[in-house]
Amino acid sequence: MKTKAVRLYGKNDLRLETFDLPAIGKDEMLAKVVCDSICMSSYKATHEADIHKRVPRDVHRNPVIIGHEFAGEIVEVGSQWSHAFRAGDKFSIQPALNDPDGPVGVLSAPGYSYRHIGGDATYVVIPNAVMAGGCLLHYTGAGYYPASLAEPLSCVIGAMHANYHTTPGSYRHQMEIKDGGNMAILAGVGPMGLAAINYAIHRTDRKPRLIVVTDIDRARLDRAALLYSPAEAARNGIELRYINTGEMANPVDELKALTGGKGYDDVFVFAPVAAIVEQADALLAFDGCLNFFAGPSKTDFKAPFNFYNVHYAYTHVVGTSGGNTDDMKEALVMMGQGLDPAGLVTHIGGLDAVIDTTMNLPSIPGGKKLIYTHINLPLTPIDGFEARGKTNPVFAELYRLCERHHGLWNVEAETYLLAHADAV
């Protein structure tokens, strides 16, 4: 089987190539990738290459396929897994494997480490470690893009599960965000912040009383408020507020005032900016938990932290960088119950758009860039469909379908695109 894929050879060295995949073994699978959501982690891996902890040291000789937020369809199943999967099954993959025999040991991950599996490809060979670790997940919902976005959604699910609070007089920690508490999501209207808002206002097992989402970009805040409105949150018993801290004279005092001066039980930091970390620390309530979600690219990233409050107010900090398999399963279940992650997606592209998009991801505005690997399509913002539709009937129809869904990507648009776009 031939595949066409974007492979990493070294720092800033991505190549779109066609090559042969090996025949699958009895413990492997052949799969068709349908879509991949490009993550900032792919940008980091591309710019770090062989010094990245998940990229093999010999990547220049044994290139890896990039992309780890992908979904598709099983084509062929090795005999060892025929009891659990069959051709035609739709899937999502949890890329955080525990593969001691992988290219970089236990940190090996599809999209970083393997020669024959990654999201930015037409076809891939799924290694045994994925199935053995329970990381190949059935997806039975409509379309494919929700399954691709299950991985980023799982990351914020894992973050909220990883927060913890203490019990006075005891050494037992209570895992999870505080039920009925105050939550702040700082720099929270990027793709992952939006995922956190979507999850927090729709989960049913526990919920904060108040969620405050901050940023300094009014347009991004307004878009977030349209996607996940305060009215929608209120129907679920949550007060949701979007705040532009750039318009505040004293953000810490004014944000704490929204809690009656108490502070925030759970604070999530979605940008690796020292000033935001310092602000988060100052916002913590007694026994407050700061979750540093944003992954810095600098290995010496530091920020001041109030250790007086650590000692006397029991404040504490955790850091999370991804979800586990259970978190992805939870994401897929919630999608099956109606949670739609389409609000994360702002751009659509084909396999030919991967290299430029990945290399320049921080400078491309908007949210998630969703790649369909069996078509050629320049990366196009959804809000640009109308203009392109004046000369291209495919974009005209995509615009019409997205307008029917409040300007969001949707299964109807995906189905139409796959049927009418230029094939790879």
Side-chain angles (χ1 to χ4, degrees), residues 24 27 29 53 55 73 131 135 172 196 202 214 234 239 253 268 280 333 349 383 392 415:
I24 66 167
D27 59 352
M29 296 191 200
K53 62 184 180 180
V55 175
E73 187 175 298
M131 286 74 76
C135 295
R172 299 183 65 181
H202 287 111
T214 73
E239 179 185 357
D253 288 349
F268 293 85
V333 167
D383 61 13
N392 186 318
T415 303

Side-chain angles (χ1 to χ4, degrees), residues 252-276:
V252 170
D253 288 349
E254 293 180 57
L255 291 173
K256 288 188 77 169
L258 299 176
T259 68
K262 175 180 178 293
Y264 294 82
D265 304 289
D266 298 281
V267 180
F268 293 85
V269 175
F270 279 87
V273 178
I276 297 178

Side-chain angles (χ1 to χ4, degrees), residues 125-141:
V125 173
I126 306 177
N128 180 62
V130 175
M131 286 74 76
C135 295
L136 184 64
L137 306 176
H138 287 283
Y139 173 64
T140 58

Side-chain angles (χ1 to χ4, degrees), residues 57 74 77 116 118 122 129 134 150-151 193 206 258 279 304 308 331 367 380:
R57 303 289 85 90
I74 301 297
V77 181
H116 300 129
T122 53
E151 197 280 337
R206 64 175 56 226
L258 299 176
Q279 182 184 91
Y308 181 90
T380 306

Side-chain angles (χ1 to χ4, degrees), residues 237-261:
I238 298 170
E239 179 185 357
L240 173 62
R241 303 189 61 164
Y242 292 96
I243 304 292
N244 187 338
T245 52
E247 298 172 352
M248 290 179 159
N250 190 320
V252 170
D253 288 349
E254 293 180 57
L255 291 173
K256 288 188 77 169
L258 299 176
T259 68

Side-chain angles (χ1 to χ4, degrees), residues 5-9 12-17 38 42-43 46-47 66 120 350-361 364 371 379:
V6 176
R7 296 198 286 185
L8 176 66
Y9 279 81
N12 303 319
D13 187 359
L14 292 174
R15 306 178 197 177
L16 178 58
E17 302 174 314
I38 296 182
S42 291
Y43 166 83
T46 298
H47 285 259
I66 65 166
D120 293 313
L351 189 61
D352 55 329
V354 169
I355 292 177
D356 184 66
T357 301
T358 304
M359 295 285 290
N360 298 287
L361 195 56
I364 305 174
I371 297 296
L379 188 72

Side-chain angles (χ1 to χ4, degrees), residues 61-86:
R61 291 193 304 271
N62 293 298
V64 298
I65 302 175
I66 65 166
H68 61 277
E69 298 178 357
F70 60 102
E73 187 175 298
I74 301 297
V75 175
E76 184 181 350
V77 181
S79 60
Q80 183 172 313
W81 294 104
S82 60
H83 65 284
F85 299 91
R86 62 185 178 183

